[in-house]
Amino acid sequence: MSDSKAMNLRFRDERQHEAIAAAAKNDGVSIQEYVISAAYERATAVERHFLDAFQRSVARSSEAFAAEPSTIDPTPEQRAAELMARKDLENDGRGRAA
């Protein structure tokens, strides 16, 4: 009877398997533990990146709401410059291969 707690790992690339096995051995852990730890570290790094970006967004939003209306409302000149920049970006992207 097989152990239901065992993780079955298959690697298509033998060199990848050898590299992971060597890294796991170097860390003194099993391949399964090494892979799970790497996945956990990656997931938490993505989570930290998302939370950092969210906190920066919240800070920018709160600054905008706290600012005087005259300091955040664009002037007609700023609006015209933004519109021109947007048109330039759109025109630069046309006719090029994706």
Side-chain angles (χ1 to χ4, degrees):
M1 188 164 148
S2 67
D3 186 2
S4 62
K5 294 181 183 179
M7 191 165 82
N8 186 5
L9 297 174
R10 294 185 183 147
F11 297 90
R12 293 182 183 180
D13 184 353
E14 185 60 33
R15 291 178 297 176
Q16 180 186 31
H17 180 264
E18 291 169 0
I20 292 172
K25 184 177 180 181
N26 188 49
D27 286 356
V29 296
S30 69
I31 294 175
Q32 292 87 351
E33 188 175 355
Y34 184 83
V35 169
I36 289 173
S37 295
Y40 178 78
E41 287 175 20
R42 175 69 179 139
T44 55
V46 168
E47 177 186 38
R48 280 191 305 274
H49 178 75
F50 172 79
L51 292 175
D52 290 345
F54 178 73
Q55 288 173 345
R56 288 191 304 273
S57 174
V58 168
R60 281 192 308 272
S61 297
S62 65
E63 290 169 6
F65 284 112
E68 292 294 321
S70 63
T71 62
I72 60 171
D73 289 337
T75 64
E77 294 82 16
Q78 288 172 323
R79 288 182 190 264
E82 289 173 358
L83 183 59
M84 186 182 293
R86 181 176 296 145
K87 286 181 181 179
D88 287 345
L89 285 173
E90 289 172 355
N91 290 336
D92 285 347
R94 291 187 184 152
R96 293 187 179 168

